[in-house]
Amino acid sequence: MNKELTREERTDALGGMGCKRKRVEDARFTQGKGNYVDDIKLPGMLHGDFVRSPYAHAKVVSINTDAAMALDGVVAVLTAADLAPLGLHWMPTLAGDKQMVLADGKVLFQGQEVAYVVAKDRYIAADAVELVEVEYEELPVLTDPFAAMESDVVLREDLMGEGGALPDGAHGPRKHHNHIFTWEVGEKEATQQVLDEADVVAEEMVYYHRTHPCPLETCGCVASMDKVNGKLTLHGTFQAPHAIRTVVSLISGIEEHNIRVISPDIGGGFGNKVGAYPGYVCSVVASIVTGVPVKWVEDRMENLMTTAFARDYHMHGKISATKEGKITGLWCHTTADHGGFDACADPTKFPAGFMNICTGSYDIPTAYLAVDGVYTNKAPGGVSYRCSFRVTEAAYFIERMVEILAIELNMDAAELRRINFIKKDQFPYQSALGWEYDSGDYHTAWDKALKAVDYDGLRAEQAQRVEDFKAGKTRKLMGIGLTHFTEIVGAGPVKNCDILGLGMFDSCEIRIHPTGSAIARLGTISQGQGHATTFAQILATEIGLPADSITIEEGDTDTAPYGLGTYGSRSTPVAGAATAMAGRKIRAKAQMIAAYLLEVHDDDVEFDVDRFVVKGAPEKFKTMKEIAFAAYNQAIPGIEPGLEAVSYYDPPNMTYPFGAYVCVMDIDVDTGVTDIRRFYALDDCGTRINPMIIEGQVHGGLTEALAVALGQEIAYDDMGNVKTGTLMDFFLPTAWEVPNYETDHTVTPSPHHPIGAKGVGESPHVGGVPCFSNAVNDAFRAFGLRHTHMPHDHWRIWKTANELGLHG
Amino acid sequence: MSGKKHITMTVNGEAQEFLAEPRELLIHTLRERLNITGPHIGCETSHCGACTVTLDGKSVKSCTVFVAQADGADITTIEGLGNPDSLHVLQEAFKEHHGLQCGFCTPGMITRASKLLEENPSPTEEEVRFGMAGNICRCTGYQNIVKSILAAATEMNAAKEAAE
Ligand code: FES
Ligand code: FES
């Protein structure tokens, strides 16, 4: 007989919530045995590759595929003409627009898909791409959304009505032929009145540049149509495999039960792998046509130029306050550059995502937001790059506006934030732009952060530095970047969140095996977040079986329950909740079995870590392992055999993680080089499931924030040429540029989430971008700078210093 | 296409011999011809390091090496560093210190780190950061990668000392 373990020892043995469990995924990844899409090889597999447009706006006059078809090893060359009879030359986008799969008479952005070559290997496919002759007739190019709204040039003839009429778009009336939608929230007149009567108003145009999620693995798929049994299997880099299955079914006409979508290991997503791309459609068609599997994997240039950019928001803001610094109103008009097609990945009712979280962490009584979406000759996309829908834009906007207001008021920016935070006793808090913040304790987090970095000491040092600079003793300035952000994640309640009509619930199905181990399947898919590790921890705590005895499986639509996938930090808030709820169903049945075995009434037993005990008599118990076995080997009156459960969780509200960040930066005025001396990040993501993984997510998100704030962009010239199409020009920081981060936390559990968790993957990005940017701006505050646009690369910083007259 | 060339090479200790177009890239030779899929493709322009292998004692990015250039070479990939029954110290250290997330950069990272620690068995943090700057990770922010490599160095040095 084993020595009786203490309650603590039994808890530890489970490896449940709150422990730093090592990741179960790592064994295969460290040995090079991950299974990513490009590792998939099927018998007879062919390779697809695209002919792409060199022009940003042009008519496609003719396409000649003869020479390509004549090349040995080329099996097919598809053009829009081949797809049209199937109705597949266009496809619906997630935003209610449609997008060309292959150029249908014209192209709207550089790199657009024109023809799809299928060949025996990737070298032959690449050779054949060169042999396809396309004749273009150039059209005027629009790369500026403001100019596009004034221009006579029509980008989307397909959306014009009879005689130049302008039919409504997916989100209501359109004002101009290059206009997509207007989205308004809040009170326009009331806000205007507050601004008119305010003591102080700060106004600024805050541009959040275009960038790209750029996961290390690009997008790709392997489509395999089995003509014998009529089944299509589609392997691919999909952040939302079930939604992809539904989309493929809707556009191909293949019944959903005959489609199996599999997301294998995914080499990072960050929003890039949410959408449906022409490569997927063409590969499916090619496999149907040829009867063999077809692989398509984009190269880096194709990835940066064509699949899913992020941001490109021109945010014109006004913020008003009393003389004492109490914020009274916020006004924002955003011009959103969506590129040639509206392919944003946002819930249907939110064409600008959750941009209306832009009142941030502050108690702002009156606010108004309007967003106008505009077509230009740039790539489509507008995904959430490591953020919930458009939340980075919102956080950047408000955190810049607050800094600018502090300048206007001649106040300390930390103090200005403090007097405007929503107070702890105001939660649940109804924001002026329509959200109900579930919980928060901003003052505690803020004070903890400022104390940790010795904020007053830093300001004194900074003041001394300015003196020294003016006295010619140093050429380096010091910036203190502050941010207090509020995220909105966990989309979302089905009553207002859907994508293509699919409610944004998520799901978990659990099967307990007779010997007390288990498998759980979810509607989400990990791209590095460590779901196989953390979801097992949630379950271990809920059902009292060790995490090491629980397999987590995701990404195969034939086996996993339906779910909307992983993005927008929704996995823990939604699928994590489903997991807990399914676990509780298991526990409820286990309770009945335990009571039967212990020969007491159901109400007389209670759950205790890994067992049910008789109330008041803890020596009488049945472990979950014993209960699992009994579920399969005993005929229990009134109870079905087996121990399984499934839960579909529709969250009652979003969750609202928050955080307080401080960045200390030295800037060389003569070179524009930045040196991040210190970065402190306090995150409150509610209940913490695995601190090791949370910390890793924070490091990663901050590094992506550093990239975006300090150099990363997708830039176009006036002809619509992409100037940043390779990793030579598109900034991805290396170990050399990245600092060590200090992480910290407070814990304010979500009151409506079954385990109180809020999600964390994206917080560091949402909070990090404004924090780095505020540090750069702050360094020059003493010399009269109000605002300068990101990305703050060395050249732009040098230019700022130069314009301020700091180069003598 | 152009004539094929007779190529021999040793990969992870195994002799390989085949005919290939000289323009074939080494990463494709490994991944498609030899089914060694540990090294990955992240850029094909020498920037990301996902394809890093050790070629004749040097870290190289196999996406920008023609197979013809690798004729006669001795190549080690992640698959040659450890095996399920006895992981390389670096493989253990990356697991222990959460030095990976999606895992896509990991084979290249560990392969490069193994070479770095051969070149410099007791690096400072700064030397690790500099020595790993040819390998990009999009997920981890590097902090735990650096930690993993420093921990592996300490462990390898301790083992060496114990053996002496
Ligand atoms: S794939 Fe070789 S360096 Fe990126
Ligand atoms: S772990 Fe994902 S790129 Fe490094």
Side-chain angles (χ1 to χ4, degrees):
Chain A
M1 181 88 195
N2 288 341
K3 159 176 158 306
E4 190 54 38
L5 299 175
T6 65
R7 196 161 187 278
E8 283 65 40
E9 287 168 333
R10 287 192 282 120
T11 305
D12 288 350
L14 290 181
M17 276 196 287
C19 82
K20 295 188 179 185
R21 181 175 190 231
K22 301 291 177 228
R23 300 201 332 161
V24 296
E25 295 89 341
D26 292 356
R28 69 175 189 282
F29 291 150
T30 53
Q31 294 177 72
K33 298 295 182 200
N35 183 36
Y36 302 90
V37 74
D38 200 19
D39 299 338
I40 294 168
K41 246 189 188 178
L42 299 176
M45 189 173 77
L46 301 172
H47 292 260
D49 202 349
F50 278 109
V51 176
R52 294 180 179 277
S53 170
Y55 298 109
H57 194 198
K59 254 190 211 150
V60 176
V61 180
S62 66
I63 304 175
N64 184 342
T65 62
D66 294 349
M69 280 304 289
L71 184 68
D72 198 23
V74 173
V75 178
V77 183
L78 301 176
T79 64
D82 301 304
L83 301 184
L86 308 165
L88 291 175
H89 53 322
W90 288 74
M91 63 178 188
T93 71
L94 296 180
D97 193 2
K98 56 189 174 129
Q99 173 177 357
M100 289 180 219
V101 172
L102 290 172
D104 183 20
K106 76 180 292 192
V107 288
L108 283 159
F109 62 94
Q110 189 183 47
Q112 188 178 327
E113 299 79 3
V114 174
Y116 185 74
V117 172
V118 186
K120 290 224 161 86
D121 71 37
R122 62 174 86 214
Y123 287 77
I124 298 171
D127 289 340
V129 163
E130 299 298 317
L131 294 173
V132 174
E133 293 160 21
V134 186
E135 193 189 330
Y136 298 94
E137 192 180 302
E138 284 183 75
L139 295 167
V141 173
L142 299 172
T143 56
D144 172 31
F146 297 96
M149 282 293 285
E150 305 282 316
S151 172
D152 294 340
V153 176
V154 178
L155 297 180
R156 295 286 301 274
E157 291 86 352
D158 62 294
L159 299 178
M160 299 299 287
E162 292 289 320
L166 213 54
D168 282 3
H171 306 287
R174 299 163 60 217
K175 297 190 247 197
H176 178 268
H177 50 253
N178 296 328
H179 180 243
I180 309 173
F181 63 83
T182 300
W183 188 57
E184 282 182 287
V185 200
E187 297 177 73
K188 189 175 184 179
E189 277 81 36
T191 307
Q192 193 53 54
Q193 195 178 341
V194 168
L195 293 175
D196 289 344
E197 294 166 2
D199 295 348
V200 180
V201 178
E203 180 174 357
E204 191 59 65
M205 175 59 102
V206 178
Y207 175 50
Y208 200 142
H209 60 290
R210 183 176 273 238
T211 182
H212 193 283
C214 193
L216 197 56
E217 176 201 38
T218 59
C219 300
C221 71
V222 179
S224 176
M225 184 72 205
D226 180 338
K227 290 202 171 172
V228 177
N229 60 28
K231 296 236 182 224
L232 170 71
T233 305
L234 182 60
H235 297 83
T237 49
F238 310 129
Q239 286 181 238
H242 290 276
I244 290 283
R245 184 184 70 190
T246 302
V247 171
V248 171
S249 175
L250 289 175
I251 65 180
S252 70
I254 302 172
E255 280 197 82
E256 213 166 342
H257 73 106
N258 277 330
I259 302 173
R260 179 179 185 187
V261 174
I262 301 175
S263 294
D265 288 326
I266 295 183
F270 317 123
N272 183 223
K273 294 167 179 171
V274 173
Y277 298 122
Y280 307 157
V281 179
C282 289
S283 304
V284 168
V285 173
S287 180
I288 293 173
V289 171
T290 61
V292 291
V294 177
K295 177 189 276 188
W296 167 74
V297 178
E298 60 179 4
D299 66 24
R300 179 56 61 192
M301 193 178 262
E302 294 176 296
N303 177 252
L304 289 172
M305 287 174 67
T306 69
T307 48
F309 79 92
R311 336 285 198 225
D312 219 345
Y313 259 32
H314 301 259
M315 303 175 287
H316 181 194
K318 297 176 201 169
I319 188 166
S320 63
T322 63
K323 287 193 297 294
E324 296 74 34
K326 184 77 192 82
I327 301 173
T328 53
L330 181 72
W331 182 93
C332 176
H333 179 268
T334 295
T335 300
D337 185 341
H338 284 224
F341 306 97
D342 184 11
C344 288
D346 289 316
T348 309
K349 297 192 187 79
F350 297 90
F354 303 154
M355 180 64 195
N356 54 332
I357 192 76
C358 67
T359 52
S361 309
Y362 311 104
D363 184 12
I364 303 180
T366 314
Y368 169 71
L369 164 73
V371 182
D372 280 299
V374 181
Y375 290 120
T376 61
N377 291 119
K378 299 186 192 169
V383 294
S384 324
Y385 167 7
R386 202 163 185 148
C387 71
S388 189
F389 313 98
R390 300 288 186 185
V391 178
T392 34
E393 287 89 328
Y396 181 63
F397 170 73
I398 184 66
E399 288 302 298
R400 283 301 306 138
M401 290 310 292
V402 166
E403 291 277 320
I404 295 161
L405 179 63
I407 294 173
E408 205 74 47
L409 288 161
N410 197 19
M411 252 180 100
D412 177 76
E415 184 54 22
L416 177 60
R417 284 181 173 84
R418 189 200 312 272
I419 61 179
N420 284 290
F421 283 142
I422 300 161
K423 294 187 194 70
K424 191 178 171 187
D425 59 17
Q426 285 178 281
F427 292 96
Y429 173 82
Q430 203 66 46
S431 83
L433 293 179
W435 296 111
E436 186 185 294
Y437 291 29
D438 64 347
S439 59
D441 183 356
Y442 301 164
H443 286 94
T444 301
W446 196 237
D447 291 343
K448 190 173 180 186
L450 297 189
K451 187 154 178 256
V453 299
D454 180 20
Y455 180 69
D456 294 340
L458 286 174
R459 284 293 178 203
E461 186 189 345
Q462 184 186 40
Q464 184 59 49
R465 186 75 72 84
V466 170
E467 290 304 308
D468 290 351
F469 183 86
K470 286 179 177 163
K473 291 191 208 155
T474 178
R475 294 299 291 163
K476 284 191 180 166
L477 293 175
M478 174 178 162
I480 303 169
L482 301 174
T483 286
H484 191 289
F485 65 91
T486 296
E487 255 262 70
I488 172 168
V489 305
V494 173
K495 63 176 187 289
N496 57 8
C497 288
D498 72 273
I499 288 186
L500 292 177
L502 303 166
M504 296 182 74
F505 57 82
D506 225 292
S507 58
C508 175
E509 179 205 278
I510 305 170
R511 293 182 195 176
I512 311 290
H513 307 315
T515 51
S517 64
I519 182 164
R521 297 187 169 102
L522 294 94
T524 44
I525 176 72
S526 189
Q527 307 124 39
Q529 295 91 337
H531 290 175
T533 306
T534 49
F535 285 132
Q537 288 180 258
I538 296 176
L539 265 186
T541 298
E542 291 291 342
I543 64 176
L545 293 172
D548 286 344
S549 302
I550 302 169
T551 295
I552 300 289
E553 205 180 85
E554 303 175 297
D556 182 342
T557 59
D558 261 12
T559 57
Y562 205 98
L564 266 275
T566 294
Y567 44 87
S569 276
R570 63 186 301 280
S571 296
T572 299
V574 192
T579 305
M581 297 311 273
R584 286 171 197 182
K585 288 186 187 175
I586 295 275
R587 216 161 75 187
K589 184 168 178 183
Q591 179 164 6
M592 294 193 280
I593 298 171
Y596 171 81
L597 297 174
L598 292 162
E599 298 180 16
V600 294
H601 189 270
D602 289 358
D603 294 339
D604 294 333
V605 293
E606 61 186 356
F607 187 68
D608 178 43
V609 184
D610 57 352
R611 62 192 58 184
F612 276 92
V613 299
V614 175
K615 284 182 187 164
E619 70 287 356
K620 288 191 194 143
F621 64 85
K622 287 288 168 193
T623 64
M624 282 302 293
K625 224 173 138 98
E626 292 170 316
I627 295 167
F629 198 67
Y632 289 90
N633 84 337
Q634 301 236 359
I636 305 174
I639 300 181
E640 284 179 10
L643 194 51
E644 300 188 2
V646 52
S647 171
Y648 279 74
Y649 186 78
D650 178 10
N653 189 2
M654 314 287 289
T655 60
Y656 298 78
F658 61 92
Y661 292 179
V662 184
C663 171
V664 185
M665 190 185 274
D666 288 321
I667 296 180
D668 186 318
V669 169
D670 297 318
T671 61
V673 172
T674 47
D675 178 22
I676 298 146
R677 210 200 302 167
R678 192 163 180 195
F679 200 105
Y680 169 90
L682 179 151
D683 276 283
D684 191 320
C685 58
T687 304
R688 292 157 61 84
I689 300 165
N690 184 326
M692 176 191 84
I693 286 181
I694 291 173
E695 197 171 286
Q697 290 290 314
V698 173
H699 294 167
L702 288 175
T703 303
E704 290 192 339
L706 180 154
V708 170
L710 300 186
Q712 185 179 87
E713 71 174 319
I714 296 289
Y716 288 83
D717 69 12
D718 292 344
M719 299 295 291
N721 296 306
V722 181
K723 297 197 290 181
T724 52
T726 72
L727 298 190
M728 178 81 103
D729 320 287
F730 185 81
F731 174 50
L732 298 182
T734 70
W736 188 243
E737 285 104 10
V738 174
N740 278 310
Y741 304 104
E742 300 163 54
T743 55
D744 204 345
H745 62 275
T746 54
V747 177
T748 312
S750 167
H752 61 77
H753 187 276
I755 57 173
K758 296 182 175 179
V760 73
E762 297 162 341
S763 290
H765 195 69
V766 168
V769 173
C771 196
F772 285 112
S773 180
N774 283 347
V776 173
N777 280 282
D778 181 70
F780 296 103
R781 177 173 167 175
F783 300 91
L785 182 69
R786 269 168 68 93
H787 174 76
T788 177
H789 292 309
M790 292 191 292
H792 307 295
D793 54 22
H794 302 165
W795 154 243
R796 284 186 176 93
I797 291 178
W798 181 90
K799 222 163 133 255
T800 298
N802 194 263
E803 282 160 12
L804 293 171
L806 301 185
H807 292 151
Chain B
M1 275 296 112
S2 47
K4 296 202 169 177
K5 187 170 155 47
H6 179 246
I7 307 275
T8 59
M9 56 174 65
T10 307
V11 184
N12 298 328
E14 257 183 68
Q16 303 285 356
E17 191 175 349
F18 49 86
L19 289 175
E21 282 184 43
R23 67 167 178 172
E24 183 172 299
L25 296 171
L26 179 57
I27 185 70
H28 293 138
T29 308
L30 295 170
R31 293 180 48 82
E32 318 244 315
R33 189 182 285 280
L34 304 176
N35 290 320
I36 294 172
T37 55
H40 296 139
I41 300 172
C43 68
E44 292 174 299
T45 52
S46 271
H47 289 99
C48 77
C51 62
T52 304
V53 301
T54 307
L55 186 147
D56 290 336
K58 287 201 185 73
S59 292
V60 305
K61 291 171 173 171
S62 61
C63 69
T64 29
V65 175
F66 290 121
V67 68
Q69 294 172 284
D71 190 17
D74 184 12
I75 294 166
T76 307
T77 70
I78 185 75
E79 286 89 343
L81 283 185
N83 61 61
D85 298 324
S86 98
L87 291 184
H88 190 278
V89 178
L90 276 160
Q91 290 169 321
E92 288 287 5
F94 270 64
K95 281 170 63 182
E96 184 62 28
H97 299 282
H98 192 24
L100 63 149
Q101 291 180 24
C102 78
F104 202 75
C105 70
T106 313
M109 271 303 164
I110 293 182
T111 307
R112 168 59 197 146
S114 72
K115 199 66 222 157
L116 173 70
L117 294 186
E118 262 175 58
E119 294 159 4
N120 180 358
S122 305
T124 62
E125 178 186 329
E126 201 172 44
E127 285 166 344
V128 170
R129 286 186 177 271
F130 189 75
M132 296 301 296
N135 290 66
I136 285 173
C137 174
R138 290 291 288 142
C139 302
T140 64
Y142 304 104
Q143 196 157 329
N144 289 341
I145 289 178
V146 173
K147 204 165 147 192
S148 305
I149 295 170
L150 289 171
T154 307
E155 186 158 330
M156 286 160 83
N157 290 336
K160 228 182 287 161
E161 242 168 64
E164 273 159 18

